[in-house]
Amino acid sequence: MIARTILIVDDEQRTRQGLKKTLDQWAVGNYEILTAEDGKAAWEIFRSREVHLLITDICMPEMNGLQLLKTLRTNEQKTVVLILSGYPDFEYAQEAIRLGVVNYLLKPTSKKKLIEAVEQALEIKAANERIEYIQKVADPRILQMEENTPLKLPIKKAIQYIHEHLNDSITLKRVADHVHLNAAYFSALFKEQTGLNFSEYLTRKRLELAKSLLLTSSLTVDEISRKSGYQTPKYFIKVFKDYEGVTPSKYRKSAAVKGPSV
């Protein structure tokens, strides 16, 4: 597993080294701690790799901290940011808030306060990733139904069974038998409760699984089609394109994002 990255940007070498030493001891290998001497050097790092947390000073030569943040936002970089500055300037703080900074610490700060701020920022990063992941993977109709619709017990059991057997050959009769209902009655009740007919619900849930695997695994499209319950990759690709507007391969390339942090 590749370690996540925290980048410290400060033109004072002693400060950089002190912050890095503190965070190296805290991270115990779970995060790679990098440093840069100014915004320009930091931007070069951003151009070559993902940075999960940025800790930056404001007043630096070449490119200051706020200029760096503006560059990151312009280029749609989604890192979370802590400001660590020696200047308790209200205008700086206002601009930092406008640019999405999650905390503004004043130098000198204690190791305890620094680590608390870092942990809080990383929790925000994880929450943002989960939200982005859900937005990319979750089917909006199913999400709305699951969040807002009280379901009768047989339908709850049916949905749980579907979720546990998405890669199997599921039929309406098989699920109806599982919840001890007549197939015709179960079909009508399922549509009434969920707003979707059985086959459409099953397709949407299988595509949610497929999208999750496309974004979080290196499995081939053929392997993902089988794990999502499709007998042939050709049919899987057709269904995927009908619902998502692109092929699975194009979806993976255009929507790549890490899964939610654990």
Side-chain angles (χ1 to χ4, degrees):
M1 181 178 177
I2 299 173
R4 296 187 152 215
T5 302
I6 296 174
L7 174 59
I8 299 164
V9 188
D10 198 300
D11 61 329
E12 298 174 1
Q13 184 178 7
R14 186 175 176 182
T15 300
R16 289 199 308 274
Q17 291 175 341
L19 292 172
K20 178 173 168 52
K21 182 178 179 181
T22 297
L23 293 183
D24 275 332
Q25 291 172 345
W26 162 83
V28 292
N30 292 316
Y31 291 87
E32 183 178 5
I33 315 300
L34 303 180
T35 64
E37 62 186 14
D38 56 40
K40 187 176 180 181
W43 174 236
E44 291 303 314
I45 292 173
F46 272 95
R47 292 177 65 183
S48 64
R49 64 187 300 164
E50 182 178 8
V51 175
H52 299 86
L53 169 61
L54 170 66
I55 303 172
T56 183
D57 194 4
I58 289 181
C59 295
M60 298 179 292
E62 293 291 331
M63 179 190 287
N64 69 35
L66 295 180
Q67 290 170 334
L68 172 61
L69 296 190
K70 290 174 184 176
T71 300
L72 297 180
R73 298 306 176 229
T74 299
N75 288 274
E76 299 183 348
Q77 294 282 343
K78 297 177 181 177
T79 187
V80 290
V81 182
L82 291 176
I83 294 288
L84 185 57
S85 174
Y87 295 88
D89 188 290
F90 180 71
E91 289 186 6
Y92 280 159
Q94 273 193 318
E95 182 69 3
I97 291 170
R98 191 182 70 79
L99 291 168
V101 170
V102 299
N103 210 332
Y104 191 112
L105 302 178
L106 292 177
K107 297 177 183 177
T109 189
S110 68
K111 292 181 180 179
K112 183 174 182 288
K113 282 186 178 180
L114 173 66
I115 290 171
E116 285 176 351
V118 165
E119 289 177 343
Q120 180 188 54
L122 291 170
E123 286 176 4
I124 292 171
K125 174 67 173 174
N128 291 343
E129 286 181 349
R130 283 192 290 273
I131 291 169
E132 184 179 2
Y133 178 78
I134 289 169
Q135 288 174 337
K136 289 182 180 296
V137 170
D139 183 284
R141 289 193 63 181
I142 290 179
L143 189 62
Q144 182 180 13
M145 181 274 292
E146 290 176 342
E147 290 180 346
N148 301 316
T149 307
L151 300 174
K152 292 183 178 179
L153 185 58
I155 302 304
K156 285 183 179 179
K157 288 183 176 179
I159 285 174
Q160 182 180 355
Y161 184 84
I162 292 168
H163 292 183
E164 292 171 354
H165 296 83
L166 284 174
N167 62 339
D168 294 343
S169 179
I170 301 177
T171 63
L172 185 147
K173 185 177 185 307
R174 178 176 168 184
V175 180
D177 288 345
H178 177 74
V179 297
H180 310 294
L181 291 178
N182 168 274
Y185 176 73
F186 169 72
S187 177
L189 183 63
F190 192 92
K191 177 67 182 288
E192 176 192 294
Q193 288 272 287
T194 66
L196 298 167
N197 64 44
F198 175 84
S199 62
E200 184 176 4
Y201 181 88
L202 177 59
T203 296
R204 289 176 181 272
K205 288 306 295 185
R206 281 177 165 165
L207 292 179
E208 280 188 342
L209 173 59
K211 287 188 286 185
S212 178
L213 291 172
L214 286 165
L215 298 181
T216 61
S217 79
S218 57
L219 295 173
T220 66
V221 170
D222 286 11
E223 290 169 329
I224 290 172
S225 71
R226 288 194 294 273
K227 285 185 175 291
S228 303
Y230 290 94
Q231 298 300 310
T232 67
K234 184 177 180 180
Y235 182 63
F236 164 64
I237 292 169
K238 179 185 182 302
V239 173
F240 193 99
K241 189 172 182 181
D242 286 345
Y243 275 79
E244 299 299 325
V246 293
T247 64
S249 296
K250 286 185 177 178
Y251 176 87
R252 172 177 263 168
K253 289 178 182 177
S254 64
V257 64
K258 291 184 182 295
S261 300
V262 294

